[in-house]
């Protein structure tokens, strides 16, 4: 089975006001001029999605950082996958560690959110990752594979699912795991996908996230079973983010 193109995705988290439009037009222009060998996605806050999707920036897909598991109803402050679909979101991140920690989201909740995303035709980017305490206790593989098993719905396919491995201790800290550690976790993720989905599991993209920047992207992205990146801080400025996209040009 042919894998989709690698994906470099930016997660703006709770950052970005209207002036951030500039970063999308700049990013689109950088890709126009220099090309890109991967797909490119930005997930801004909900408030900017409609606006950014109305720009003429065909090189940059716009996605969301979360959705509710239900399509409508009495859930004050929440946003449904159907609403995001109406805004043109083709990708929805679910189960980011910040949501698991800040909002107490369990892997079962994440699974239901992934189904909601898939049901509107979006690709769910399902996040997993261990804390520093879990890594130091030698539990990283166990934690990641357990989270993954419960978070991925049976409905997962190459087209509607992407996995993102983001060690919690690497997010926003400037610390990154060694290439060997990334390889070990990504292989465990790949093996679980193969066990569960057969040959289709080989073509599901697995992203690495956690302090990815231009200077370390080429090394991280060349690790086996790393099919792209999920980027926080370095995705906020188009020029920084493009350095990561350009790193793909140096691989393979
Ligand atoms: P940083 O790239 O800022 O470490 O954030 C990673 C992340 O959490 C992306 O979802």
């Amino acid at each position: 089975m042919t894998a989709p193109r690698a994906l470099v995705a930016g997660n703006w988290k709770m950052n970005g006001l209207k002036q951030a439009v500039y970063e999308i037009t700049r990013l689109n222009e950088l890709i126009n001029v220099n090309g890109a060998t991967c797909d490119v996605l930005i997930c801004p806050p909900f408030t900017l999605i409609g606006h950014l999707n109305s720009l003429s920036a065909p090189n940059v897909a716009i996605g969301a950082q979360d959705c509710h598991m239900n399509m409508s109803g009495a859930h004050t402050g929440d946003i449904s996958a159907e609403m995001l679909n109406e805004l043109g979101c083709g990708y929805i991140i679910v189960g980011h560690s910040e949501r698991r920690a800040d909002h107490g989201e369990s892997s079962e909740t994440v699974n239901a959110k992934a189904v909601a995303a898939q049901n509107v035709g979006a690709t769910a980017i399902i996040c997993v990752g261990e804390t520093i305490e879990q890594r130091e206790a030698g539990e990283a593989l166990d934690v990641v594979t357990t989270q993954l098993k419960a978070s991925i719905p049976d409905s997962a396919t190459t087209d509607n699912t992407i996995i993102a491995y983001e060690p919690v201790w690497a997010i926003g800290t400037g610390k990154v795991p060694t290439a060997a550690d990334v390889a070990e976790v990504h292989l465990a993720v790949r093996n679980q996908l193969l066990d569960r989905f057969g040959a289709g599991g080989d073509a599901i993209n697995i992203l690495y996230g956690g302090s990815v920047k231009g200077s370390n992207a080429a090394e991280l992205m060349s690790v086996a079973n790393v099919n792209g990146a999920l980027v926080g801080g370095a995705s906020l400025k188009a020029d920084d983010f493009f350095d990561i996209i350009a790193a793909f040009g140096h691989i393979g």
Side-chain angles (χ1 to χ4, degrees):
M1 187 163 287
T2 326
R5 291 217 306 173
L7 175 71
V8 173
N11 173 10
W12 281 5
K13 308 190 180 184
M14 199 171 70
N15 298 291
L17 299 171
K18 267 195 264 174
Q19 69 202 34
V21 165
Y22 166 78
E23 302 301 337
I24 301 297
T25 48
R26 169 84 180 142
L27 185 57
N28 191 64
E29 179 189 306
L30 284 166
I31 298 169
N32 258 347
V33 172
N34 302 290
T37 56
C38 56
D39 289 336
V40 176
L41 168 70
I42 291 286
C43 298
F46 289 132
T47 47
L48 283 177
I49 291 172
H51 194 42
L52 298 186
N53 245 339
S54 69
L55 300 173
S56 178
N59 298 316
V60 185
I62 302 296
Q65 300 172 18
D66 180 49
C67 67
H68 196 274
M69 67 176 82
N70 296 334
M71 289 302 170
S72 62
H75 304 288
T76 303
D78 276 313
I79 306 280
S80 76
E82 198 170 45
M83 294 166 181
L84 296 169
N85 180 53
E86 196 175 53
L87 292 178
C89 284
Y91 297 85
I92 304 176
I93 298 171
V94 293
H96 191 282
S97 61
E98 286 152 15
R99 293 211 55 93
R100 290 181 189 257
D102 294 356
H103 300 272
E105 290 186 6
S106 66
S107 290
E108 291 67 33
T109 302
V110 174
N111 185 309
K113 289 181 174 213
V115 170
Q118 293 167 350
N119 281 346
V120 298
T123 298
I125 302 179
I126 302 172
C127 303
V128 292
E130 82 284 358
T131 62
I132 191 63
E133 292 77 16
Q134 290 164 333
R135 174 149 289 271
E136 285 173 352
E139 296 166 355
L141 283 186
D142 234 30
V143 168
V144 168
T145 52
T146 303
Q147 281 182 348
L148 198 62
K149 193 159 181 248
S151 302
I152 303 187
D154 291 336
S155 48
T157 67
T158 306
D159 292 330
N160 68 17
T161 303
I162 290 174
I163 309 303
Y165 167 55
E166 298 203 305
V168 176
W169 52 273
I171 294 176
T173 59
K175 294 182 185 149
V176 281
T178 63
D181 285 343
V182 173
E184 185 183 36
V185 176
H186 278 241
L187 178 62
V189 171
R190 178 67 69 211
N191 284 337
Q192 186 181 127
L193 294 172
L194 286 168
D195 279 354
R196 197 158 156 198
F197 300 106
D202 203 27
I204 292 177
N205 274 341
I206 309 171
L207 313 183
Y208 167 78
S211 295
V212 179
K213 38 187 192 273
S215 55
N216 61 20
E219 187 189 359
L220 286 165
M221 297 305 113
S222 62
V223 172
N225 292 304
V226 174
N227 313 117
L230 183 53
V231 184
S235 71
L236 294 171
K237 294 273 169 243
D239 288 81
D240 296 343
F241 193 47
F242 186 76
D243 286 346
I244 296 169
I245 294 163
F248 274 86
H250 304 292
I251 295 168

